[in-house]
Each structure stands twice: as C-alpha cells, then as structure tokens.
Amino acid sequence: MSNEPVEGVAPYSGPAGGWGALAAVAKAVRNEMGTSPDTRALMEMNQPDGFDCPGCAWPDPKHTSSFEFCENGAKAVTWEATSKRVTAEFLAGHTVSELWTWSDHDLENVGRLTEPLRYDPATDCMVPVSWEEAIAGIAAQLQALDHPDQAEFYTSGRASNEAAFIYQLFARAFGTNNFPDCSNMCHEPTSVGLPQSIGVGKGTVTLEDFDAADAVFCIGHNPGTNHPRMLTTLREVSLRGKPIVVLNPLKERGLERFAPPQSPVEMLTLQSTPLASSYHQVKVGGDVAVLKGMMKALLAADTADLGNGGPGLLDRVFIGEHTVGFEDLVADLNGTEWTDIEHRSGLTRAAIEGMAETYWSAERVIACYGMGITQHRHGTENVRQVVNLLLLRGNMGKEGAGICPLRGHSNVQGDRTVGITEIPAEPFLARLDKAFGIQAPRKHGHNAVRTLAALADGSSRAFIGLGGNFAVAMPDPQVAFAAFRGMDLNVQIITKLNRSALLTAKHTYVLPCLGRTERDLQGGVAQSVTVEDSMSMVHASRGRLKPASDQLRSEVSILAAIARATLPDSTIDWEGMVADYDRIRDKIEEVFPDFADFNARIRTPGGFRLPVPASERKWNTPDGKAHFLTSSALDEDDGRDEGTLVCTTLRSHDQYNTTIYGLNDRYRGVTGRRDVVFIHPDDLADAGLAHGDCIDIVAQEDRVLAGVTAVSYPIARGSVAAYYPEANVLIGYKDYDRASGVPSYKSVPVRLRPAAQVGQG
Ligand SMILES: Nc1nc2c(c(=O)[nH]1)N[C@H]1C(S)=C(S)[C@@H](COP(=O)(O)OP(=O)(O)OC[C@H]3O[C@@H](n4cnc5c(=O)[nH]c(N)nc54)[C@H](O)[C@@H]3O)O[C@H]1N2
Ligand SMILES: Nc1nc2c(c(=O)[nH]1)N[C@H]1C(S)=C(S)[C@@H](COP(=O)(O)OP(=O)(O)OC[C@H]3O[C@@H](n4cnc5c(=O)[nH]c(N)nc54)[C@H](O)[C@@H]3O)O[C@H]1N2
Ligand SMILES: [Mo]
C-alpha cells in the first residue's frame, strides 16, 4: 500500500542548490523570456548600480558583491521581466466570470498588465480605460464616502520607501490611518513583540555578525526556498565548524545540506555541505514549550555549575545592568513541568537539554526565525521567548550575537519604517504635520484582520491595494471574497492579473505599474527608489529594463495622481515629488531623523544602516531596560482535542506567496501538483489512511479542503502541512494572535477523512 508509487511524489535525494537549481533557472528564463532572454536583468540584480531583487529581504554582502546566484531570485525576476502580455484582445475574449475559474498560476501566467482597466458589468469584461478617466473615477468614489475611515489602504511589501511614503501621506491627508499591510499577516509579532522586549521592532544582527557567531539557531523558517541567499551564510557557519540547530516540524532540505552553484568543486563532485548540526522536529505550535524547556535546562545547569564553584552559565552582569523581569521568568519556568513541555513540543527532555547545552556552550549565539514562529495564535509569545533565551546569556548587542527575524517581502521592513502603520506614534504624526502643513488623523486605523471585518460588515466601502493580492493572502476566502464583492470601490495597483483584481465591486479599476527591474523615467530623467533589507540596510534600486508597456506608470506617480485628484486643494507638492524622487527622500528625512543625509548616503555603494539601538545595548523601552516577558501559553490547548491534528501552511519551492510560478516543490519531492498534504506515516496509519489516499482535511466550523492526496512525510507527529493559499479555506479570520493581529495560519486544528465521505472521523 504505502509502497505504491504516487503520481508526482518521490523523495528528492539532492542537496539544496546544486544542479537542480541551475536547471530550474534555465527553465524559468526559457519559459518567461522566450528566445531573446534579456538576461541582463539577472546580471544586474543586487549590483551596486542595479535593482534590488524583488525576492526576499536577505541582505547582500554590502550590495557590492559579485553576482550571487539565487534560483528563486531568478524566478522572481524572470516572472516580472517576462515577455508575455495581457492584451485588450485577451481581456475581450474572456469574461471575468470565466477568468475567475482559472488557477492563480494561470491568471498571472497570462503575463504583464499593459494598460489601465475598468470592469464593465454590461459585458462582464475588463476593458481598457485612460489613466485620466481611471484616476478621476477613483477620486470621485473616495470623495463620495461618508468618512475617510471607510477606505482601506493596503500595502504589499514590494513597494519602495518612496511609494510607501507618498501613499501614507495621501491617506493621512485624506483623513485615515487605515493601513492594513502584508506585515499584519507576517512579522507583526516581531513589530509588536520586539519593541516591548528590546525597544525596537527589527532584527539586531548584521550579515557580518554571522562570521563571528559560535552557534546559529534556525527556528521556523525555510531558507532553501524563501531566503536562498542565506544558504551561503549558513554554509560559511558550517564550514567554520560551528553548530546550526534547527527547530522545524518538517525535514527541509534547505536546512540539511547545500551545494552552492558557484562552487565548481561541490558541483562537479556532486558533494554538498551539511548545514544543520542537529535537527529537531518540533510539533507544530510547540516552540514555546521547547524554548521554555531550553531555559529550564539552562537554569538547572547554571545552578549546578554554581554549586560546583563555577561562575554559573547566565550572564549575570548583563541581566543585572540591562534587564528587568528575570525573577518572573524564573518563577514561570519553575512552574512549568517537563511532562507538559514534552507533551506540547513532541520532543524528549534529553533532546531539549541537548539543544540547551549547545546554546550555553557557545559564547555568541544568533537566533533566526520566520513564519513558523510568528503565524500562531501565540506568535508574539513565541517571539518573546526567543528574546528571553538570548537575554539570559547576554546574546544581544554584542558581536556575533542577536536576534534575526527573516523578513518577508523585499521592502516590508522599509514600508513600516516610512510610516505604513495603523497605529502611528504621536511624535511621527507631529513631524508629518509640520513637514506638510496637514493635520493627520490621530485615531488608530485598521490592520489586515480589522480591514476584512470592516469590509465584511459593510462599514468600510473602498479598498486600494498597493501591490499584493489581499483577498487571497488573507484567511477565510469565504468571507474575504464576499466582502470584496460588496464594496463600492476596488482599486488594484499591480503588475499581473490576480484574483483580488477579479473580485469586482461597484467600481473596479486595475492600474498597471512598473516593476523593480524596469526603468522609471520622470520628465526623461531616470529615477531610483530605495529599500531596506532585513538587517536595516537602506540602499538604492534602479531598474534598467524597457518597461513591459509604454503605458505603465510608476507606483509613485500613480499614487500622487490619485492624491491630487482626490484632494484638489491640497497644498502638498505632489507633482514636484513625482518629478524628482530626491524631493521625496528630502521629505522622508524631514519626518524621520534617522534618514539624515538620505540622498547623499544612498549614493555611496551599499547604502547605509539605520540605527538599531538594541544592537548597541540601548533599550528604547519606557524604563530603558530590556524586558524578560512571558505569559503562560503552555496552558493554551489551541482548541485541539485528543486525536486532533494541527495543520500548518507552507510555501512550495515554486511560488512567491500567492504568485504560483509552477507546480513543483523539488526539495519536498513533489512534481507537477499542489493538491497534497504532508502527514507522518504513523498518523496516517492511526487515521486508517495510506500514502496516496485522496482525503479531505476538515477544520472547525465545517471548513473543508477537499480531495487532497495524503503524502507520507518526515514531519512531527500530530502535525500536518498543506500549501498556502489553497489551505486558507480552513482558517477563520477571527483566529489570530490577540497581541499582534497576525492570523494563526500555522496552527489550525484539523481532522482527516477519506475524500467526500461526510460525517466521518
Ligand atoms: N521564493 C520565495 N521567497 C519568499 C517567499 C515566497 O513565497 N517564495 N515569501 C516571502 C515572504 S512574504 C515571507 S514572510 C518569507 C517566508 O519565509 P518562511 O518563514 O521560511 O516561510 P514558510 O514557508 O511560511 O515556512 C516557514 C517554515 O516554518 C516551518 N513551520 C511551520 N509551522 C511551524 C511551527 O509551528 N514551528 C516551527 N518551529 N516551524 C514551523 C515550516 O515547516 C517551514 O519550514 O519568505 C519570503 N521569501
Ligand atoms: N495560509 C497562509 N496564508 C498566508 C501566509 C502563510 O504562510 N500561510 N503568509 C502570509 C504572508 S507572510 C504574506 S507577506 C502575505 C502576502 O500577501 P501579498 O503581499 O498581498 O501577496 P503577494 O502574493 O505577494 O502579491 C502578489 C501580487 O503582487 C503584484 N505585484 C508583484 N510585483 C509588484 C510590484 O512591483 N508592484 C506592485 N504594485 N504590485 C506587484 C502582482 O500583481 C501579484 O499578483 O500572505 C499571507 N498569507
Ligand atoms: Mo510575508
């Protein structure tokens, strides 16, 4: 039974990277760019004078390096620089109702949008419209709202600093702080949790710190797919003989071993470098338990060491000088039982003690984490426990040590820095008011979940999307799709057709914009934008490719035009800022003092690093101390009964969020399909199922992901995994982390049953 071959499923034996990566790049170039590939784009990626890769937010060695190869960066670029186009003829030949039945892959695969579009209910088609008419139509709808708070201004994290700054200025001048953004679905527990603990909502390490680290912990992130350039960094750590400890429910090839395509030796000898020195398959949602277990083991070992006349294992000087809350943490750990820790984590006490020993044996430790930590009902608590662990040994604000959240979109961190937030601080608003002579609203606005709730109950009527695919990225498509269809205005500023653009409201406009790779001329002069990576490095990005159509406009110019049309009496010099982006940067500098000398500093290769006070042991908290914070999340049962499994949602190797490049997930051994769910063989057997069976996944409130194929996989017991966005039907939008608002995409209680059999299991 379980030995029967299953179509498109076979374990992958190669390393991450290697020849498989080269082959995938060749295929991406061939598929997207046809016979005359403008491979120049690939060579200019992340070069001092080129454009920033629209893939991940992992930094570059000073942005001055020689070409660094990355398979998924190449996919992101070729997908944007494709020679395929959405033409007026295509749109006339396919109604929106028909396109709606297409897959996410097929929709984007039509190619780049080439002209502004309006939905025409009479023909049920998207029809070309002039820029002037589109902008005037949007402005009229915004002006017709009863209140500015009825509009939602969504940002996806590809938007440049300049576009994001103009966007927030416009929405605030219009009168609202409704800024749902993709960060609300992503690293919000970092943005909310870290400031309370260490006074800044960003990572504290730089790329150079990895050269000095004595151990690296990788918790809940999948770099082989989502931050592939990080593999080069991890490989160097491994080659220096330093431990890399992994905490992840699934075996991920990109954390196990890597063959850099730049290394002739490893490529030609088919060798690879091992990455993880130890790999712990924690149960989905079990990280708090593991982290508490490690700290408990550390405290016990510290006590023993002191008893033997040793100096102890905690950094008592650091704890005394820099922190508060240590006693509360110790009390909480003393009250946490090992049996609970083992039960919740699925790991043995011995394994957790082993991780703890690796931790205290290392002088300098970096802890990296991604969505496996943040996207839980207790995502913020997860982040706090990672910080607690680091603080206990002073692993913060010293060389080779610190916290390293793996950010998502390439400029999601920068967008936040320049004002995309629904909970703006007063000093920022005061400076914004002064710089522009406006009175920004003080009332806090909507995050992503509250936006969906407001659209669903009809209290919000309009949605503008600066990039992204909000309705598909959010949980609960059942609610999101109906909510969008009930709106007065849906505006999508995007590069490719997606489902959020097909959710037609009373008035629907699709505005095609330039991508990162394309040259942005204003009045004949080439403009640069800026972005901030995961490590707070800000640098310029300049596209060189000929735009996909001469009708495309930059995000900055589209937003400024909407602003001018909506606010005809505005005294803000929208036109001047569009004409020369240096003027936008001058204003950013006026509002955010950390950007002093902005225009000068981005002209030096590599750009500059924004200050991160915690990396100098300066704690921007009310009392100037770093805080041990904890609440007892171990008691929380995540709504699961005995026998319930917990489903996490994942990205395949061939996707960028809701953008599905292809149907392969090479490292997990899946080819040509996405309709699979990964399950531990013993859980399969317990459910009376076999590898290859067609099953339904059933979540609370009768949510069903129907007809997926069960794949026996090395995943922690009690945990299953399915692909995002398909699995979003299983997740209720009210299921989110109360502290940060991030949906709990990665802990959905589910049952399994044979497909299409109602009333079982
Ligand atoms: N090519 C590519 N690059 C990307 C993206 C993309 O889609 N494609 N997306 C970008 C964006 S916006 C983001 S946010 C990042 C996402 O980057 P990641 O954070 O790496 O994203 P995910 O695929 O969601 O999965 C994270 C990992 O968490 C593990 N995991 C799941 N549940 C748990 C848990 O309970 N505990 C622990 N410890 N681990 C768990 C999964 O097995 C998986 O290995 O990548 C960015 N870069
Ligand atoms: N179940 C589940 N759901 C999740 C997640 C998960 O792990 N599990 N992850 C969440 C996370 S971390 C995130 S960040 C969100 C992602 O949510 P979003 O950021 O909203 O989604 P994307 O899929 O990245 O957006 C893709 C669209 O962006 C447009 N686009 C591409 N490039 C550009 C550009 O340069 N400019 C503009 N204006 N538009 C562009 C294209 O038209 C494309 O269709 O999804 C979240 N949803
Ligand atoms: Mo993200």
Side-chain angles (χ1 to χ4, degrees):
M1 284 230 304
S2 57
N3 296 331
E4 293 275 310
V6 176
E7 197 184 335
V9 181
Y12 182 70
S13 57
W19 290 101
L22 284 184
V25 170
K27 189 169 153 217
V29 171
R30 193 170 63 239
N31 283 354
E32 297 310 316
M33 297 164 134
T35 47
S36 60
D38 200 343
T39 42
R40 198 162 48 111
L42 292 175
M43 306 309 291
E44 280 176 1
M45 181 155 70
N46 295 338
Q47 291 303 293
D49 205 22
F51 65 93
D52 185 67
C53 177
C56 71
W58 186 256
D60 290 286
K62 304 223 182 303
H63 236 251
T64 55
S65 70
S66 57
F67 177 65
E68 198 180 351
F69 177 88
C70 162
E71 172 189 348
N72 280 353
K75 284 184 204 154
V77 168
T78 52
W79 195 250
E80 177 174 303
T82 181
S83 51
K84 300 173 190 170
R85 298 288 180 269
V86 177
T87 60
E89 297 71 55
F90 170 84
L91 292 167
H94 301 276
T95 61
V96 167
S97 312
E98 185 210 328
L99 291 174
W100 181 258
T101 65
W102 290 27
S103 71
D104 293 324
H105 167 78
D106 290 343
L107 285 177
E108 285 208 27
N109 195 37
V110 185
R112 289 288 299 277
L113 292 158
T114 51
E115 56 189 327
L117 305 170
R118 169 181 70 79
Y119 177 63
D120 174 24
T123 57
D124 187 28
C125 283
M126 289 287 177
V127 294
V129 59
S130 72
W131 276 105
E132 293 62 35
E133 197 183 330
I135 302 280
I138 292 163
Q141 289 306 313
L142 289 174
Q143 288 163 345
L145 296 171
D146 300 330
H147 192 280
D149 285 338
Q150 289 181 320
E152 306 288 350
F153 295 85
Y154 175 66
T155 314
S156 170
R158 263 193 207 191
S160 63
N161 290 333
E162 290 72 11
F165 183 76
I166 290 280
Y167 194 41
Q168 63 81 35
L169 176 63
F170 161 50
R172 293 196 164 105
F174 177 61
T176 185
N177 282 310
N178 284 348
F179 290 109
D181 86 298
C182 71
S183 196
N184 298 142
M185 310 176 209
C186 183
H187 262 293
E188 201 64 12
T190 301
S191 307
V192 167
L194 283 186
Q196 294 163 358
S197 295
I198 59 169
V200 61
K202 303 179 178 186
T204 65
V205 300
T206 63
L207 206 46
E208 290 71 36
D209 283 318
F210 281 84
D211 299 336
D214 297 313
V216 174
F217 283 73
C218 290
I219 313 178
H221 67 101
N222 184 20
T225 290
N226 299 318
H227 308 91
R229 285 174 296 119
M230 184 188 192
L231 296 187
T232 313
T233 306
L234 290 176
R235 177 172 176 267
E236 283 160 11
V237 173
S238 165
L239 291 175
R240 283 195 297 114
K242 303 298 180 186
I244 297 174
V245 179
V246 172
L247 199 54
N248 195 309
L250 277 83
K251 274 288 170 71
E252 301 282 28
R253 184 54 41 85
L255 288 160
E256 293 180 308
R257 52 184 199 272
F258 173 50
Q262 289 93 337
S263 160
V265 175
E266 289 189 18
M267 290 296 279
L268 293 174
T269 57
L270 299 181
Q271 301 293 308
S272 60
T273 307
L275 297 180
S277 52
S278 69
Y279 204 118
H280 303 273
Q281 291 186 262
V282 61
K283 262 189 203 170
V284 163
D287 299 276
V288 167
V290 179
L291 292 161
K292 284 194 177 187
M294 286 177 68
M295 290 187 278
K296 210 173 154 65
L298 170 59
L299 291 185
D302 174 70
T303 307
D305 190 64
L306 289 174
N308 292 334
L313 300 174
L314 304 179
D315 188 340
R316 290 197 158 69
V317 176
F318 175 83
I319 293 173
E321 247 176 59
H322 289 282
T323 72
V324 292
F326 174 68
E327 289 74 21
D328 291 344
L329 177 71
V330 172
D332 180 65
L333 295 172
N334 287 339
T336 310
E337 299 298 331
W338 273 109
T339 46
D340 290 336
I341 290 173
E342 290 188 313
H343 176 71
R344 290 287 281 141
S345 67
L347 300 179
T348 62
R349 175 172 175 172
I352 296 174
E353 285 172 341
M355 295 170 75
E357 186 171 350
T358 305
Y359 175 69
W360 78 63
S361 305
E363 195 49 43
R364 299 156 189 280
V365 175
I366 294 176
C368 310
Y369 66 92
M371 299 297 100
I373 279 290
T374 60
Q375 293 175 331
H376 291 280
R377 208 176 303 169
H378 51 266
T380 305
E381 174 71 5
N382 272 340
V383 171
R384 288 181 182 144
Q385 299 295 354
V386 176
V387 177
N388 290 343
L389 177 69
L390 291 172
L391 291 179
L392 284 175
R393 285 184 43 82
N395 276 308
M396 193 72 83
K398 68 177 181 192
E399 193 193 11
I403 195 157
C404 178
L406 277 303
R407 286 284 174 162
H409 269 294
S410 48
N411 196 40
V412 60
Q413 186 162 316
D415 293 344
R416 208 16 95 67
T417 302
V418 300
I420 300 294
T421 171
E422 74 282 5
I423 42 171
E426 178 54 34
F428 152 59
L429 291 178
R431 286 192 304 268
L432 188 71
D433 286 354
K434 186 155 169 274
F436 291 100
I438 60 171
Q439 179 63 35
R442 264 41 185 184
K443 188 180 148 216
H444 285 173
H446 295 159
N447 64 7
V449 167
R450 288 187 60 202
T451 290
L452 185 50
L455 292 173
D457 72 20
S459 53
S460 283
R461 313 288 319 150
F463 181 96
I464 299 190
L466 177 57
N469 190 5
F470 181 82
V472 177
M474 283 295 281
D476 228 332
Q478 300 91 319
V479 171
F481 294 174
F484 262 61
R485 292 195 165 111
M487 301 189 302
D488 292 339
L489 176 68
N490 179 15
V491 179
Q492 299 292 334
I493 302 168
I494 49 180
T495 51
K496 290 199 165 183
L497 214 48
N498 64 33
R499 210 167 285 287
S500 296
L502 298 177
L503 286 163
T504 53
K506 269 195 207 105
H507 302 269
T508 304
Y509 296 94
V510 175
L511 306 180
C513 63
L514 295 171
R516 285 257 177 93
T517 55
E518 291 165 323
R519 75 177 162 249
D520 179 355
L521 297 180
Q522 300 297 339
V525 181
Q527 305 291 323
S528 300
V529 293
T530 59
V531 294
E532 174 184 342
D533 67 29
S534 257
M535 295 182 187
S536 304
M537 294 295 302
V538 178
H539 50 74
S541 169
R542 177 177 288 198
R544 295 292 168 85
L545 296 189
K546 184 166 176 284
S549 143
D550 56 15
Q551 283 236 49
L552 300 187
R553 292 191 180 177
S554 76
E555 292 171 334
V556 165
S557 82
I558 295 170
L559 296 167
I562 298 176
R564 172 54 75 206
T566 310
L567 309 169
D569 302 328
S570 167
T571 54
I572 295 170
D573 184 13
W574 303 103
E575 295 74 15
M577 289 192 286
V578 174
D580 181 355
Y581 295 1
D582 277 0
R583 295 188 192 135
I584 307 178
R585 286 184 281 271
D586 286 340
K587 284 294 184 187
I588 293 178
E589 175 177 342
E590 206 175 318
V591 177
F592 300 99
D594 284 352
F595 284 88
D597 264 338
F598 194 6
N599 276 308
R601 285 198 288 168
I602 55 153
R603 286 183 166 80
T604 54
F608 61 97
R609 183 166 189 243
L610 288 170
V612 179
S615 53
E616 295 153 43
R617 298 198 165 174
K618 292 189 191 125
W619 320 102
N620 242 340
T621 52
D623 57 5
K625 300 278 186 191
H627 287 242
F628 289 101
L629 293 173
T630 184
S631 63
S632 291
L634 273 200
D635 305 334
E636 196 187 314
D637 69 1
D638 266 352
R640 44 182 128 159
D641 311 320
E642 230 25 72
T644 306
L645 301 167
V646 180
C647 180
T648 191
T649 57
L650 306 168
R651 294 157 166 80
S652 81
H653 193 60
D654 263 5
Q655 82 182 76
Y656 196 95
N657 299 337
T658 71
T659 294
I660 312 299
Y661 303 130
L663 302 181
N664 300 342
D665 193 6
R666 189 168 76 248
Y667 299 151
R668 298 193 187 111
V670 178
T671 310
R673 60 191 303 180
R674 291 175 55 85
D675 58 342
V676 295
V677 51
F678 302 100
I679 309 172
H680 190 282
D682 295 345
D683 285 327
L684 268 179
D686 279 3
L689 299 168
H691 177 64
D693 279 358
C694 186
I695 64 169
D696 294 342
I697 310 180
V698 187
Q700 287 157 340
E701 301 168 337
D702 294 325
R703 298 166 179 278
V704 183
L705 179 61
V708 286
T709 293
V711 170
S712 173
Y713 195 84
I715 180 173
R717 279 217 67 182
S719 309
V720 302
Y723 292 127
Y724 136 63
E726 290 86 339
N728 288 18
V729 291
L730 296 171
I731 310 167
Y733 80 91
K734 291 179 184 159
D735 189 1
Y736 59 87
D737 176 20
R738 292 301 182 251
S740 70
V742 87
S744 65
Y745 293 119
K746 286 194 170 40
S747 44
V748 192
V750 295
R751 289 175 298 115
L752 310 177
R753 68 179 184 206
Q757 289 185 22
V758 194
Q760 272 213 3

